[in-house]
Amino acid sequence: MLLYDTLRQNPVAMEPIDGFVRMYVCGVTPYDTTHMGHARTYVVYDTIRRYLEWQGLPVIYVQNVTDIDDDILRKSAELGLTWDELGRQETERFLRDMDSLNVRMPNHYVKATDAIAKIIEVTSGLIERGVAYENQGNVYFNVHADPDFGSLAHSDYANMLEIANQRGNFPNDPHKRDPLDFVLWQATKPGEPWWDSPWGRGRPGWHIECTAMVLEYLGPQINIHGGGSDLQFPHHACELAQAENFTGQSPHVEAWSHIGMVFYEGEKMSKSLGNLVLASKTLEHYSADAIRLGLLKYYYRDQFEYSDEDVAWGERTVERFKLAVNSGVAGGALHAEELRNEAIAALDADFQTPACLQALITLAEASINGEIDDADLAASTLHELGAVLGLRSELW
């Protein structure tokens, strides 16, 4: 299987590292419920995992929960909850939504607050290596100490600073040497939770959490690091700088993988804008199979405008698959094996789920209409590849 690498801007092969395909996907900050943008990201990586395993490649899949964050502290204060109670409630809600969508649990599902020791170890190492510095209990990564910093952004300093400022950077922080330097550890403020560290009481920055978890559970070099395209910079670029400077090994990631944003009502679907279509609400009207197909209908790297019609299309498609499995008829000239190979080849070529689905739809319709040469192979293909796509084919 080939998967597109955002850093090198070309597809790369998924070759196991020490016997496993190692995959890390950035998880949620649990302060609101699961929208269809979240659902797309985790359905896609769940399906990639299923496909790799179906090919006989064992996968170690790690996902994080950013359970301490400025947004969580703000939202918990608004709701009159403690920060950890809000995180617990929203994490449980998210996992229920994922289970309802037939998204399997990662091998390791790790809270940031459970990775403090590793975060401190990596932060200390970056200071020792001369690419990070401490100032009054705060620790920052010095972007000018890494000549390759920002390579994943494919951009210049001015544009990176502008994007970082839009996504939580504080350029006027008086403790920084440079406006683009980013936080590894921040000194505690009154009323905030804290953990002891060599630099005093504080809590971790955002980017260092994921680096620590990757190194702890997957090692210095992995196959896939995934997330939404809005994480390409600064989050993933900062992770790349941290990991390679700490370990001295490159490449840290074979395929930096990014999912296109889901839009709704002309804007990116996001908690901050409030233009959300919640997975739980959609599940009240459509099956999980339909939602998965409605999301996989689009090439994972492309953005798209969400519509219930895509999910309704998914529902109709699942019903046609079921009909083909249960009452397909042979006798036609179309070759089931060719369509099966076409569907598999589409997934091998950078996970082209639209082309895969089109081959399966053609297979199903030909079987229903008696235009296929082997109805049994058509049925087994729909069962097998339907399961790879995360459909609950055991119910058919």
Side-chain angles (χ1 to χ4, degrees):
M1 178 185 180
L2 298 175
L3 201 64
Y4 186 83
D5 173 35
T6 306
L7 178 60
R8 287 173 285 183
Q9 299 183 310
N10 60 263
V12 297
M14 294 295 98
E15 299 289 348
I17 300 171
D18 294 330
F20 294 90
V21 175
R22 297 165 186 269
M23 181 168 74
Y24 182 91
V25 177
C26 290
V28 294
T29 302
Y31 67 96
D32 213 332
T33 45
T34 314
H35 60 68
M36 297 305 288
H38 294 136
R40 184 192 195 190
T41 294
Y42 303 114
V43 163
V44 165
Y45 289 113
D46 175 70
T47 311
I48 289 175
R49 175 195 192 181
R50 289 170 182 268
Y51 183 59
L52 290 166
E53 291 178 342
W54 180 75
Q55 289 185 313
L57 298 171
V59 177
I60 304 177
Y61 180 13
V62 180
Q63 191 180 126
N64 74 304
V65 188
T66 303
D67 63 334
I68 181 63
D69 177 89
D70 289 340
D71 287 325
I72 288 179
L73 296 177
R74 173 187 54 78
K75 187 72 172 182
S76 62
E78 289 176 7
L79 297 175
L81 295 171
T82 61
W83 64 273
D84 50 345
E85 178 60 18
L86 174 64
R88 185 190 64 77
Q89 288 182 10
E90 294 298 329
T91 299
E92 289 178 357
R93 184 178 302 184
F94 170 76
L95 291 177
R96 285 197 300 271
D97 289 341
M98 291 297 101
D99 183 63
S100 296
L101 290 171
N102 202 25
V103 173
R104 293 162 52 199
M105 279 291 289
N107 300 101
H108 303 282
Y109 191 64
V110 190
K111 295 188 295 184
T113 53
D114 287 337
I116 298 296
K118 189 67 175 182
I119 289 168
I120 290 173
E121 176 192 335
V122 176
T123 301
S124 298
L126 292 171
I127 294 173
E128 292 169 6
R129 288 155 180 75
V131 294
Y133 59 93
E134 184 269 343
N135 189 348
Q136 296 186 28
N138 303 282
V139 182
Y140 302 91
F141 188 96
N142 177 1
V143 298
H144 293 292
D146 180 358
D148 294 324
F149 178 78
S151 56
L152 188 56
H154 301 292
S155 189
D156 58 21
Y157 177 93
N159 191 51
M160 287 192 291
L161 181 60
E162 181 180 355
I163 295 170
N165 292 347
Q166 294 167 2
R167 296 177 179 171
N169 181 53
F170 296 102
N172 299 320
D173 182 341
H175 301 112
K176 288 185 178 185
R177 295 177 185 172
D178 184 275
L180 194 54
D181 289 352
F182 58 89
V183 177
L184 303 175
W185 187 266
Q186 50 195 320
T188 189
K189 296 175 183 175
E192 289 187 351
W194 53 265
W195 289 262
D196 280 321
S197 81
W199 319 286
R201 293 176 174 178
R203 58 186 173 93
W206 175 30
H207 312 307
I208 195 67
E209 297 170 3
C210 289
T211 297
M213 293 180 200
V214 170
L215 297 177
E216 180 75 13
Y217 292 95
L218 294 173
Q221 295 182 299
I222 69 173
N223 297 94
I224 303 168
H225 194 312
S229 60
D230 56 344
L231 299 181
Q232 180 177 340
F233 187 86
H235 186 49
H236 287 171
C238 294
E239 282 191 67
L240 173 59
Q242 291 167 162
E244 293 194 352
N245 278 282
F246 179 76
T247 67
Q249 296 189 43
S250 179
H252 174 50
V253 174
E254 286 293 337
W256 289 96
S257 174
H258 294 102
I259 307 295
M261 294 290 98
V262 177
F263 281 66
Y264 186 62
E265 298 176 339
E267 299 273 4
K268 187 189 84 168
M269 194 179 293
S270 68
K271 291 180 281 192
S272 58
L273 292 175
N275 60 334
L276 304 181
V277 177
L278 300 180
S280 57
K281 295 297 182 183
T282 308
L283 282 162
E284 293 175 2
H285 305 285
Y286 299 98
S287 69
D289 286 354
I291 294 173
R292 289 187 74 111
L293 289 192
L295 296 171
L296 295 171
K297 178 183 179 183
Y298 295 93
Y299 175 45
Y300 76 95
R301 292 175 56 212
D302 290 344
Q303 67 182 42
F304 75 94
E305 179 84 12
Y306 175 81
S307 168
D308 281 345
E309 177 50 38
D310 288 324
V311 183
W313 169 88
E315 203 78 85
R316 295 192 297 271
T317 301
V318 170
E319 291 307 311
R320 299 301 282 178
F321 286 178
K322 290 179 181 178
L323 184 60
V325 166
N326 293 314
S327 57
V329 180
L334 284 177
H335 297 295
E337 186 173 2
E338 289 182 4
L339 288 167
R340 174 188 174 89
N341 291 340
E342 185 179 324
I344 293 169
L347 296 182
D348 276 338
D350 194 27
F351 205 61
Q352 297 276 353
T353 53
C356 173
L357 283 171
Q358 188 54 59
L360 294 180
I361 290 167
T362 301
L363 181 66
E365 293 301 323
S367 184
I368 291 167
N369 297 325
E371 299 169 347
I372 201 75
D373 65 341
D374 189 337
D376 289 338
L377 181 58
S380 64
T381 296
L382 290 167
H383 256 303
E384 274 190 78
L385 296 185
V388 166
L389 297 175
L391 308 185
R392 299 183 188 273
S393 57
E394 70 274 8
L395 303 179
W396 299 2

